[in-house]
Structures are given as C-alpha cells and as structure tokens.
Amino acid sequence: MCCALLASAEGSASDLMKWIPREVSAAASEAFNAAGKAYFGSLGGKGLGKTVELGLELVEDEGKKLVVELAPEVFPLLKASIKESAIDRSDEVDQVSAACARAPVAYAIMAAYQFRWFVTQIGFPYLGKLCALVIPCALTSLDHWSPEVKGQGMITFIHLGNNVNSGELGWCQDVILDACFQNIVCSDDIWHLVVEMSVLFAASTQKNNPRSPWFEKLLNEMLGHLERHPRNKERRVAWLEHIDPLLNSVGLILLAHFSRIFPLVFQWIHADDDDTVILVLKFVQTIIKLTWIRNTPYVARLVDELSIIYKEAAMRKARTEIRKHVAQLLIFLRQCQGLQFEAAWAKHKDDPNLETLELFREQDTMIAI
C-alpha cells in the first residue's frame, strides 16, 4: 500500500502528493515489482487465487500478478477509506463539514490515488474479470464531494473503458452512465476527465442504439453546461477534443440538437485562440459528414461565418491550417446543399479578400476529403 501511494504520485499536481520526488515514485514502483518477484519466486513461479483464476500464471510481469492477487483484499479497504469522508446523501444534515469531521479528506484523496494506481497496472484482457471488484470502488470515488477524489475515479474509469469489452460492462452500464451524467456539472479541473469518460462509456455501451436516451441526456447536459460557460476556453477545448466518438454514435440524430450546437459554433469560431477555431472547424466537418446538415436554416449563417473567419485568419498564426479547413467546409456545403449554398455564397463570391478561397473552390476535387 505504501509503494502504491508513492508510485501513484508521479506526475500529480495535488498538494498532498507533489512533495514526493519523481525518483521516489520510480523507486516505489520498482520495489513493488521486486516484492512480486519475491512472492511468486517463493511459490516456484506458480500463482494462487486470482492469478490462477485470470490465467496469469505465464505472465512474466510479477508486479501485475501481485496487483491481481492483492485486489480482493485491497480494493474494499480503499473503498471504505474513500467513503469515510463522503457525504451521506440520505442525511440532509450531513454536509462537507460533517464528512470532514468524521475523517480528513486527505485520507480519501490518498486512497483514490492508490486505487487508481492499482487498477492502471492491469490491462486487457485481465481487467474485465476484475470489474466486480473495481467498479464499486470507482463509483464510490465519483460519488465523493472532493474534485481530487472524483478525478482519480474518472481516470480509473477511463482506463477501465479502454481495457474491457463493452459486454463485460453490461450488468452495470446504466449505473456508470448515470454517474457520468451526475458529474458533468463539476470542477473546471476535472471537466476534461468527465467528458472523456462520458463519451467513452456512452459510445462503447450504446453504439448500437443511436436513439439511446443516454445520448440525449449526456449531450443535453454537456451543451447546457457549455452554454452557461461559453467563454471558458478549457471547457470548450476539452469538449471539442473528446466529443467525436459520441457524435459518430448518434449520427443523424444530431439534427435534433442543431438549435443548441450551432449558436455555440458561431460564437466559438471567432475565439481568440487558434486551437478553438481549428477544433470548431473540424467539429463542423464531422457534423456535416454525419448529417449533411439537411433541413436546417443554418447553412446561410454558416457560409457567412466561414467567409468572415477566412478573412480573419490573415491575422492568425495558424492561418494556413484555418483557411484549409474553411475551404474544405465550403466544398462539403456545396456538395450537400447545392442551390442553397450557391444562394448563400452569392453575396461573398465577389469579395476581393476571398479570391484565394475562390481558387480553392475551383479545385475542390484536389482537396476534398
């Protein structure tokens, strides 16, 4: 447990953990692996308990085997430590101050770091067989009031989602997705984690049902949160970076969300930072490819905004990339909207500042994706 705590501090920005030097974290990881070698060496290389159950006898990584062997004993202890300072939601009087009075929140934070480290030492295909041990503790982390505890729980879930089959999550997918939904309105520090986790689990568990109510709930909650904080760069960049798998799973159903998506697009496309502009242009490309933006009144406005950003790009560092994406978007719009696009473009085609863009349009077969 001590080695896990020290090893889990590597790369952490937490005030509780950053005092631990990187060298100490690396040494702790090596010590844990050495303990695994000593333990399994004393057994003549044979495994016991979970090691045999998961078929890890022939795996050469003794550290991984030791984690699996310890999991049934360690995970319940860590879960109890995290829960000790959590808020009892059935008790209206029990708030953060009361929870902290029972046990210092530092204990829960350290336990969450230890738990995350243990889980991330195990990968595919073995982690799926430990879901019954991992998920209850991970959910307890997400239910805690501390953003640091929540964050470690989300990192754990992201690792879990990337290393198990969706079929192995069938028995608990609704509980996990509900935890995602409940945590969308969270601290700025962990927004990127809850978005990544929500998209990962929704896309993997609901991919065969684009009309799943979970897509509707999660997307609406995310959009609502973004609408309340439209100028928050970290939130919008994190969302734009991670949202594609969910968009691809929802497909044509995205049309129902256009009235909320495009007002954000039209605001973000003129953001001060190039990262946001490029991500928004890529986002709109994905939207067009999935829906051909049929039956929508936003085509004319989109053509106007793309023309403006093309001219604004002259003053940006990433002007070449921005203009390339604008040209591609206009090509897509012409291909899928035809006459509606030409009507919208008519008022821009004689603009001398768009002459270079006109050349791109004439050679659309060369740059179209």
Side-chain angles (χ1 to χ4, degrees):
M1 294 283 274
C2 179
C3 287
L5 179 61
L6 294 173
S8 69
E10 185 171 1
S12 171
S14 170
D15 290 337
L16 284 171
M17 310 294 285
K18 66 182 181 182
W19 62 270
I20 302 173
R22 182 182 298 272
E23 296 78 9
V24 173
S25 292
S29 182
E30 292 176 6
F32 189 91
N33 290 331
K37 290 179 181 179
Y39 177 73
F40 287 99
S42 67
L43 298 174
K46 297 180 180 180
L48 295 172
K50 282 290 179 182
T51 305
V52 175
E53 182 182 328
L54 270 64
L56 276 126
E57 302 100 314
L58 300 179
V59 174
E60 295 181 0
D61 189 339
E62 283 85 357
K64 180 184 294 185
K65 286 161 54 173
L66 184 58
V67 168
V68 170
E69 203 68 53
L70 292 173
E73 298 178 38
V74 170
F75 289 178
L77 294 175
L78 295 174
K79 177 186 175 183
S81 183
I82 294 169
K83 193 171 183 178
E84 198 172 6
S85 60
I87 295 173
D88 184 355
R89 302 191 185 282
S90 64
D91 185 353
E92 295 182 358
V93 180
D94 190 23
Q95 297 300 321
V96 172
S97 57
C100 289
R102 289 196 301 272
V105 68
Y107 293 175
I109 293 172
M110 290 188 291
Y113 269 89
Q114 288 170 299
F115 175 66
R116 184 266 302 162
W117 185 85
F118 273 117
V119 174
T120 53
Q121 303 311 298
I122 313 167
F124 181 85
Y126 309 109
L127 188 56
K129 298 180 181 179
L130 292 175
C131 282
L133 287 170
V134 172
I135 290 174
C137 187
L139 287 171
T140 301
S141 298
L142 259 61
D143 198 42
H144 201 277
W145 56 268
S146 166
E148 285 193 73
V149 176
K150 286 181 180 290
Q152 294 303 302
M154 291 171 189
I155 294 172
T156 302
F157 266 119
I158 290 168
H159 179 76
L160 186 74
N162 285 322
N163 287 275
V164 301
N165 296 319
S166 58
E168 295 172 313
L169 299 171
W171 61 277
C172 60
Q173 62 184 28
D174 286 341
V175 177
I176 296 173
L177 290 169
D178 184 64
C180 293
F181 175 77
Q182 297 296 334
N183 280 282
I184 286 173
V185 182
C186 64
S187 166
D188 283 350
D189 293 337
I190 57 173
W191 164 257
H192 64 290
L193 294 174
V194 73
V195 171
E196 184 177 358
M197 174 187 166
S198 301
V199 169
L200 174 62
F201 277 91
S204 63
T205 63
Q206 310 296 307
K207 59 186 176 183
N208 295 324
N209 180 18
R211 295 185 180 275
S212 167
W214 283 116
F215 286 135
E216 180 81 9
K217 291 180 66 174
L218 292 170
L219 196 51
N220 278 329
E221 190 74 359
M222 289 179 187
L223 290 171
H225 203 46
L226 291 166
E227 288 166 347
R228 292 189 291 273
H229 306 275
R231 293 183 176 85
N232 189 307
K233 175 185 174 182
E234 288 71 23
R235 286 185 181 273
R236 69 191 181 217
V237 167
W239 191 75
L240 290 167
E241 285 179 338
H242 294 297
I243 198 62
D244 263 21
L246 190 147
L247 300 180
N248 287 308
S249 297
V250 174
L252 195 59
I253 308 301
L254 284 171
L255 287 165
H257 299 278
F258 273 12
S259 62
R260 302 183 72 184
I261 287 174
F262 275 99
L264 288 171
V265 165
F266 296 145
Q267 183 169 348
W268 291 343
I269 205 170
H270 300 292
D272 293 335
D273 61 292
D274 291 354
D275 289 342
T276 295
V277 175
I278 292 169
L279 285 169
V280 169
L281 293 172
K282 291 180 178 179
F283 173 75
V284 176
Q285 283 187 30
T286 301
I287 294 288
I288 293 175
K289 289 176 183 178
L290 291 172
T291 67
W292 284 66
I293 57 173
R294 61 191 72 180
N295 302 324
T296 174
Y298 297 107
V299 174
R301 173 73 184 278
L302 184 56
V303 171
D304 291 343
E305 298 295 344
L306 290 173
S307 300
I308 293 171
I309 194 60
Y310 186 87
K311 291 184 284 187
E312 289 179 349
M315 306 300 292
R316 293 179 179 269
K317 290 183 179 179
R319 57 183 172 274
T320 301
E321 186 174 2
I322 290 172
R323 286 182 164 181
K324 176 185 175 183
H325 287 301
V326 170
Q328 289 172 339
L329 279 171
L330 290 172
I331 290 169
F332 292 153
L333 285 171
R334 185 171 66 174
Q335 290 173 342
C336 67
Q337 288 297 322
L339 294 176
Q340 187 180 5
F341 169 80
E342 295 298 342
W345 180 249
K347 59 183 176 181
H348 300 288
K349 65 181 181 180
D350 296 325
D351 188 332
N353 295 311
L354 297 176
E355 289 180 356
T356 307
L357 179 56
E358 189 69 23
L359 291 176
F360 270 120
R361 291 186 59 240
E362 290 172 1
Q363 300 174 34
D364 59 358
T365 57
M366 295 177 63
I367 64 172
I369 295 178

